[in-house]
Amino acid sequence: MNNLTGIDLNLLVVLDALLSERHVSRTAVRLNKSQPAISHALARLRHLFDDPLLVRHGGRLEPTLRALEIAPQLSEAIGRMRSLLAPAGFDPTTERHVFRLAMSDYGAAVLLPRLMAALRIEAPHVDLVVNQASREAMASQVTEGEIDLALGVFPAHGEGIRSSLLFTESFACLADASQLGGSPAMGLGDYLALPHVLVSLRGDAGNEIDLALAATGKARRICLAVPHWSVAPGLVRGTDLVLTVARRILSQANGQGLVVFEPPFAIPPFDFEQIWHRRREGDPRHRWLRALVTRLLGEEGPAIDR
């Protein structure tokens, strides 16, 4: 192990992919290799590290303790090598690249229409693969190198995570116009008397809105919990439901029988950020993408690295 001249470093690329995919066939597809080639590489890796590294459990390969110890260092080393071998610059008008992003339904709504419009003009050969996950899962994907960039609300950042603030978001309410009787506002008593729609992946009340309401000693009745921000405004029209969500989601909802109004109690705003791992810091393609996202969403000024 200490003599690098006797080691095929391509094996480490395979190990990095195996630890990410935890599946031989998916690793083969990812690396454009045959399944027997990946199985053979895994056998050589086991001999090299004198450890099983990945053991079959059900339909997946589960990492051993040694593999879990290796994974973060290996991922960072592979990332640094890719940055070292990457071109000194990035020409988005001609170069091909695939970025893997993670964001919530909210993040997709506020970013993707603008981002895709910009890419089709400025970087026609750049493609995106976008997935959705919880905050914790997105942060983990960034750390493990499964995605390039995550966008969302991240109260805490793990080791090696870099971030930049894109904007600070506030909350607003939406109701059918019939519930406000011509008024542009709703008092707290009327707000609490009506049933509410909650947008939450987990469907629980541990969210910013209900925590702020609980601080006043009050609680609302949530009669519907949905996981998607985009569908929620359409559920309010023609009903007595009230929706309280991030303001940007409601930018197109005012009118057509619906009214956007201020919450009748104070809800702290939240910071919307992009996060990435420090291993990607120097990658010119990654720097270009972060700058583009900042230009599209940083409406309150340049992003602030934190």
Side-chain angles (χ1 to χ4, degrees):
M1 281 295 293
N2 290 328
N3 183 7
L4 288 177
T5 59
I7 298 173
D8 181 358
L9 296 181
N10 287 317
L11 290 174
L12 300 182
V13 175
V14 174
L15 179 57
D16 181 57
L18 278 167
L19 289 172
S20 175
E21 298 291 346
R22 301 188 182 183
H23 198 279
V24 170
S25 60
R26 287 201 298 267
T27 300
V29 171
R30 175 169 167 173
L31 298 180
N32 195 28
K33 295 180 179 293
S34 67
Q35 290 187 36
I38 298 300
S39 297
H40 179 65
L42 179 56
R44 294 176 62 191
L45 284 161
R46 285 167 170 163
H47 175 74
L48 186 65
F49 285 94
D50 191 25
D51 187 272
L53 295 176
L54 293 133
V55 294
R56 189 164 298 282
H57 182 74
R60 287 172 57 88
L61 293 172
E62 296 296 337
T64 64
L65 180 60
R66 176 70 171 130
L68 292 174
E69 292 173 346
I70 293 169
Q73 300 175 62
L74 176 62
S75 181
E76 182 162 357
I78 295 293
R80 289 184 179 276
M81 288 299 296
R82 284 179 177 144
S83 295
L84 180 64
L85 297 173
F90 175 59
D91 183 356
T93 63
T94 59
E95 293 187 38
R96 296 184 178 276
H97 191 67
V98 178
F99 289 107
R100 297 182 180 275
L101 311 182
M103 63 191 74
S104 66
D105 193 36
Y106 166 77
V110 299
L111 173 63
L112 282 184
R114 302 183 196 184
L115 181 56
M116 288 309 302
L119 289 178
R120 298 314 304 148
I121 296 171
E122 302 176 32
H125 304 295
V126 167
D127 300 327
L128 301 181
V129 176
V130 181
N131 67 46
Q132 180 181 359
S134 67
R135 299 171 183 175
E136 297 79 11
M138 286 194 287
S140 176
Q141 289 172 335
V142 167
T143 299
E144 294 176 7
E146 296 178 14
I147 60 171
D148 299 295
L149 194 66
L151 296 104
V153 181
F154 304 98
H157 300 142
E159 183 179 355
I161 297 295
R162 298 296 311 278
S163 70
S164 65
L165 173 64
L166 294 169
F167 57 81
T168 299
E169 176 69 298
S170 59
F171 288 88
C173 301
L174 184 73
D176 192 89
S178 63
Q179 301 302 313
L180 282 92
S183 171
M186 181 180 290
L188 181 58
D190 291 335
Y191 178 91
L192 295 176
L194 293 171
H196 292 258
V197 179
L198 169 68
V199 180
S200 171
L201 279 176
R202 292 184 293 265
D204 57 32
N207 58 81
E208 296 90 339
I209 301 161
D210 288 287
L211 290 175
L213 193 56
T216 69
K218 306 290 185 181
R220 60 180 179 161
R221 176 197 164 203
I222 297 170
C223 75
L224 174 65
V226 295
H228 303 299
W229 295 73
S230 55
V231 72
L235 302 172
V236 171
R237 181 177 289 107
T239 74
D240 60 349
L241 295 170
V242 177
L243 172 67
T244 306
V245 287
R247 191 175 300 271
R248 281 171 172 77
I249 286 293
L250 302 180
S251 61
Q252 304 298 321
N254 208 26
Q256 300 180 359
L258 299 174
V259 177
V260 176
F261 60 96
E262 293 297 318
F265 59 99
I267 309 174
F270 62 86
D271 291 338
F272 189 82
E273 303 175 296
Q274 57 180 340
I275 65 171
W276 64 96
H277 197 274
R278 66 186 179 194
R279 76 175 68 92
R280 302 188 189 273
E281 188 75 20
D283 186 334
R285 296 166 297 190
H286 204 280
R287 289 201 306 267
W288 173 83
L289 177 64
R290 298 195 308 263
L292 177 60
V293 171
T294 297
R295 173 161 61 86
L296 296 175
L297 289 187
E299 299 173 355
E300 299 174 5
I304 304 169
D305 287 341
R306 303 194 294 177

